[in-house]
Amino acid sequence: DAAGEAGAGVRLRLGVDGGGCSGFQYAFTTEPATDPLNDDDVVFRRDGREVVVDDASLDFVRGATVDYQEEMIRSAFVVVNNPNSESACGCGSSFALKNFEANPALD
């Protein structure tokens, strides 16, 4: 199909950054599938596609689902059903971590 051909040779990278209106935010980027991976990258493959998550971000999204949602006003990759998220912002790109006080992010 045309959508499948358009995504050939490209992979999706998911990261988690501090910030956003709920404390953390998801960061999606695309990159050529031929780009070298970092030592701490974890690759997930499904239906011929790859999603790459660095090891630090993986702790924040482990058990979640990455989906592509098409709506009238926007189409975007989203993280849904994140068991590590206590609440999410209305924009869907930021979230609060469950038990953050007991497990603060340490730099």
Side-chain angles (χ1 to χ4, degrees):
D1 69 353
E5 291 174 19
V10 177
R11 65 180 169 229
L12 181 67
R13 180 174 289 276
L14 168 60
V16 174
D17 298 325
C21 49
S22 297
F24 296 94
Q25 59 189 3
Y26 302 114
F28 288 100
T29 56
T30 56
E31 61 189 27
T34 56
D35 278 4
L37 295 168
N38 299 319
D39 291 338
D40 67 339
D41 284 340
V42 179
V43 180
F44 298 91
R45 292 178 179 87
R46 184 169 180 182
D47 299 328
R49 300 289 181 244
E50 292 183 349
V51 176
V52 179
V53 182
D54 64 89
D55 193 48
S57 296
L58 184 59
D59 289 338
F60 293 96
V61 297
R62 188 178 308 278
T65 301
V66 174
D67 195 12
Y68 186 77
Q69 294 181 346
E70 294 182 82
E71 299 173 356
M72 192 180 308
I73 59 172
R74 81 174 193 161
S75 298
F77 288 101
V78 295
V79 174
V80 295
N81 302 324
N82 185 350
N84 305 298
S85 172
E86 182 173 76
S87 62
C89 178
C91 66
S93 65
S94 67
F95 67 100
L97 189 63
K98 281 185 180 176
N99 301 319
F100 182 73
E101 293 79 23
N103 302 298
L106 301 175
D107 290 333

